Amino acid sequence: MNEQDIPIDITVRKLLDWLISRRICNRDWPDKIDKIRTKIREALQDMPEHPDMRELLVSSHLNYFTCLKIVELLKETEKDTKNFFGSYGSQRMKDWKNIISDYETENVYLAEVAQSIIQNVAYEIPGLKKHNQKLESTQAECIKKQDNARKRVIELDQEYKKQCQQLGIEGVKIKSEIIALAKDLPDQYEEIATEAKGLQAAVQLYQDFVQANLDEGVEIKVLENLKFLIEHGDVTTYEWKYGEKPVSIEHPFLEWQDDDKEESNEIDFGDDGGDIDFGDDIDFGDTDAAETAEGGEIDFGEGEIDFGDSGAEIDFGEGGDGEVLELDDVDTSAIIVEEGGIQGGIARDQDALSLLDNRRTRVIIIDELEELAGFLTQRLVEASSDSIKFDMVSSSHTQDSNTLRRLLDGVEGIASRLTELKMQQLQTLRDSPAYTDRLVDTFKQKLRLKEKVLSSIEDLKQKVQETEEERSRGAEQIKVLQDRVKSWREEVEQDISKRYKGRKVTISGA
């Protein structure tokens, strides 16, 4: 096999060491490179105006091969300075030829290019690829977060709508709608009290049951407060407490601060064309002193005040010729005598509230409804099951299961209306108007969270866009470096091949 047929294979990371070990380059090449670069910086201060020259200097990494291209361009731009012997009189050409000569001395250019190839192949390009992979991972993560955020927005919308439906509002002007519901709560109490009249049969069944299980002659009252509500309706606590209607009712003042109302802040200056009427008959007391002396004094009169000290006495009709007034002859049918104590009183504070509007009495009535529901549930189980051997009540008070179910549904319907979430919140609002702000905040918290999530979606979109742009720039930079390394590698392979009689040279790993 001929020597020329033996290829030369050089690993890219060992390229510089290979050149130094073959004595093609010296170990002190970095010092010489610093001097060459100083000359390059000085030469760049005086460059001709040429589009190709400008593009070359901007797009290329300045090294030995770039300097060769610059000299080729200078041959065109400096051709006017060429003399009869073929040399150039231009200082620019002399400077760049000197730079090339310094590069070729001890093959400094090969060491520099080898170092650049190793730097790009081993560090720059892998670093950019790794960074781009990280950017792609960031993009995928941002897109996933966007999908999750959109799902979260839908969930928050559904939660908000559900919360509004539970309270019975549209959710446009939250505080105004809640306050309106709280103000309408007494009307709902009236409806519940009207429906409660249908519980009379259930209450009577419970009363008969209890009475049937007592000894003869013993009586006990059950569900007295619920009976009172059924018979009298949702009257004031005063009437429930004292057994009579109050003369007047002083309702507790409930103040709600409605922030949703649009109040007019304009001042009316009365710009309607009217003038201010100061009046022409105002007496400012500017009367003449003489007039004051003549008729301006106060006349207290010269007579004496008669205090009635004339000695006359009141005639009570005792003795004398006067007639005696007999009380039996006086018509007293139109006289109303107000009794002392609570009769004819005024309902104030908690006493002015209705039974269902008063938290204490409402709780009592709810407890009695639960008691009645428990009784009817037990009776329904006994009536529906044939396996129960012991019946708690005699057959004379038994009811069929359909009737018991109807009575139980009525009781549970009233109880559920009084204890549902919407009613509890509205009751709390009337008990404590300050609770309005806390309740409104629970609604607005959902809206604030939704806005925050929507804002995060926009931020993620922006981040995805920025990441994509950065990744594209990185990909372009990788391609530029790869093309540059490929060009340098080919140049080095050709240079080494010439030194070894045309043998094939391959720089692997680049």
Side-chain angles (χ1 to χ4, degrees):
M1 179 181 290
N2 296 329
E3 184 181 356
Q4 293 181 350
D5 296 333
I6 301 174
I8 300 174
D9 191 4
I10 308 171
T11 305
V12 68
R13 291 176 180 269
K14 300 293 183 179
L15 178 59
L16 183 58
D17 294 336
W18 190 91
L19 293 172
I20 294 174
S21 66
R22 269 48 173 196
R23 298 184 183 274
I24 298 175
C25 301
N26 294 331
R27 294 185 181 276
D28 62 347
W29 68 269
D31 297 334
K32 295 179 179 179
I33 283 295
D34 291 339
K35 296 178 182 179
I36 294 173
R37 291 195 176 281
T38 301
K39 291 183 179 181
I40 290 176
R41 283 194 293 269
E42 293 174 355
L44 287 174
Q45 301 299 322
D46 182 23
M47 296 297 292
E49 290 293 335
H50 192 279
D52 293 338
M53 182 73 73
R54 188 182 303 109
E55 183 180 355
L56 178 64
L57 294 176
V58 171
S59 61
S60 299
H61 176 74
L62 286 176
N63 55 18
Y64 171 75
F65 301 109
T66 310
C67 292
L68 291 177
K69 295 177 182 178
I70 291 175
V71 170
E72 291 297 322
L73 290 174
L74 287 175
K75 288 180 181 180
E76 181 180 351
T77 60
E78 307 299 320
K79 61 184 179 180
D80 295 338
T81 64
K82 189 175 181 181
N83 57 28
F84 180 77
F85 298 100
S87 61
Y88 292 86
S90 170
Q91 185 62 36
R92 295 170 181 168
M93 181 66 78
K94 291 179 182 179
D95 291 340
W96 284 103
K97 282 190 174 182
N98 288 334
I99 291 172
I100 292 174
S101 178
D102 291 341
Y103 261 127
E104 292 175 348
T105 302
E106 297 180 356
N107 300 314
V108 174
Y109 72 94
L110 281 176
E112 183 191 34
V113 173
Q115 179 63 30
S116 298
I117 292 174
I118 295 171
Q119 180 69 22
N120 282 281
V121 171
Y123 302 104
E124 296 293 338
I125 295 176
L128 288 172
K129 287 182 177 179
K130 185 176 181 181
H131 183 63
N132 271 13
Q133 289 176 354
K134 186 176 180 181
L135 292 175
E136 291 176 358
S137 177
T138 302
Q139 273 187 313
E141 184 178 352
C142 289
I143 293 173
K144 184 178 180 181
K145 286 183 178 179
Q146 278 183 319
D147 295 337
N148 293 335
R150 292 189 183 96
K151 292 178 182 178
R152 181 58 179 158
V153 169
I154 296 174
E155 291 176 359
L156 289 172
D157 275 335
Q158 293 175 348
E159 291 175 5
Y160 181 75
K161 291 178 181 178
K162 182 179 179 181
Q163 193 173 1
C164 291
Q165 290 174 356
Q166 289 177 345
L167 198 57
I169 62 175
E170 295 181 359
V172 180
K173 292 185 176 180
I174 304 172
K175 195 166 186 178
S176 298
E177 296 174 15
I178 291 176
I179 292 174
L181 284 178
K183 290 180 179 179
D184 294 340
L185 192 57
D187 296 335
Q188 298 185 41
Y189 286 145
E190 287 294 336
E191 294 178 5
I192 294 174
T194 302
E195 293 179 10
K197 295 183 181 298
L199 305 181
Q200 182 64 44
V203 173
Q204 188 61 45
L205 179 63
Y206 186 41
Q207 177 68 48
D208 294 341
F209 168 79
V210 173
Q211 195 64 39
N213 286 275
L214 296 176
D215 295 335
E216 187 176 355
V218 178
E219 293 185 1
I220 186 172
K221 296 181 179 180
V222 295
L223 309 178
E224 287 299 306
N225 302 287
L226 182 57
K227 287 180 180 179
F228 188 89
L229 177 68
I230 294 172
E231 294 175 2
H232 300 85
D234 190 28
V235 297
T236 61
T237 306
Y238 182 98
E239 184 174 348
W240 169 79
K241 186 184 294 185
Y242 301 115
E244 66 174 10
K245 295 183 178 180
V247 173
S248 63
I249 301 174
E250 295 180 0
H251 293 284
F253 178 68
L254 301 177
E255 182 179 3
W256 285 287
Q257 296 294 334
D258 190 355
D259 302 331
D260 294 335
K261 282 189 175 181
E262 298 180 358
E263 298 182 356
S264 175
N265 296 321
E266 298 181 359
I267 301 175
D268 183 9
F269 291 96
D271 299 334
D272 54 356
D275 298 328
I276 301 176
D277 183 10
F278 291 99
D280 297 330
D281 300 328
I282 300 177
D283 184 6
F284 292 97
D286 298 335
T287 56
D288 190 31
E291 294 178 1
T292 304
E294 291 177 2
E297 297 181 357
I298 300 174
D299 183 10
F300 291 96
E302 298 180 356
E304 297 182 357
I305 300 173
D306 183 7
F307 291 96
D309 298 336
S310 59
E313 297 181 356
I314 299 173
D315 185 6
F316 292 96
E318 297 178 357
D321 297 334
E323 296 182 358
V324 179
L325 179 63
E326 297 292 341
L327 294 177
D328 294 339
D329 298 333
V330 179
D331 184 10
T332 61
S333 60
I335 300 175
I336 299 175
V337 181
E338 294 187 357
E339 299 181 7
I342 62 171
Q343 295 184 355
I346 300 174
R348 297 186 179 91
D349 300 328
Q350 295 296 317
D351 289 348
L353 299 175
S354 68
L355 290 177
L356 296 178
D357 201 13
N358 190 324
R359 183 173 58 86
R360 185 171 64 88
T361 53
R362 182 175 64 248
V363 169
I364 294 174
I365 292 174
I366 291 174
D367 289 343
E368 293 186 355
L369 285 170
E370 296 293 339
E371 179 182 350
L372 182 57
F375 164 74
L376 292 174
T377 301
Q378 180 63 32
R379 297 298 301 133
L380 180 61
V381 171
E382 295 174 358
S384 303
S385 178
D386 298 331
S387 60
I388 297 180
K389 299 179 180 180
F390 176 72
D391 193 355
M392 295 173 58
V393 68
S394 61
S395 59
S396 60
H397 297 283
T398 57
Q399 298 285 340
D400 61 278
S401 59
N402 292 332
T403 302
L404 291 171
R405 169 54 63 186
R406 178 176 54 80
L407 296 176
L408 179 59
D409 290 343
V411 174
E412 290 179 342
I414 299 296
S416 64
R417 287 194 61 182
L418 289 173
T419 57
E420 64 182 355
L421 179 61
K422 172 185 175 180
M423 189 65 71
Q424 290 177 0
Q425 291 178 334
L426 295 179
Q427 289 163 353
T428 307
L429 287 177
R430 289 186 63 82
D431 293 339
S432 175
Y435 175 71
T436 307
D437 293 331
R438 296 197 297 272
L439 182 59
V440 170
D441 189 63
T442 60
F443 283 87
K444 291 186 176 181
Q445 186 176 4
K446 290 281 192 307
L447 297 178
R448 288 194 296 268
L449 185 56
K450 177 184 174 183
E451 291 298 325
K452 185 177 180 180
V453 175
L454 289 174
S455 177
S456 68
I457 292 175
E458 294 300 322
D459 293 341
L460 289 169
K461 285 182 179 178
Q462 183 68 22
K463 189 173 182 180
V464 169
Q465 183 177 355
E466 293 174 355
T467 305
E468 177 61 27
E469 293 175 357
E470 185 176 356
R471 192 189 66 80
S472 299
R473 290 194 298 268
E476 292 177 0
Q477 190 174 0
I478 290 173
K479 188 176 184 304
V480 170
L481 291 178
Q482 287 175 338
D483 293 342
R484 187 177 297 171
V485 167
K486 181 180 179 182
S487 175
W488 291 343
R489 186 190 65 187
E490 292 174 353
E491 295 285 353
V492 173
E493 288 175 348
Q494 291 175 7
D495 190 286
I496 296 174
S497 179
K498 291 177 183 179
R499 296 175 188 274
Y500 287 89
K501 301 178 181 179
R503 292 171 61 182
K504 183 179 180 181
V505 178
T506 302
I507 300 175
S508 60

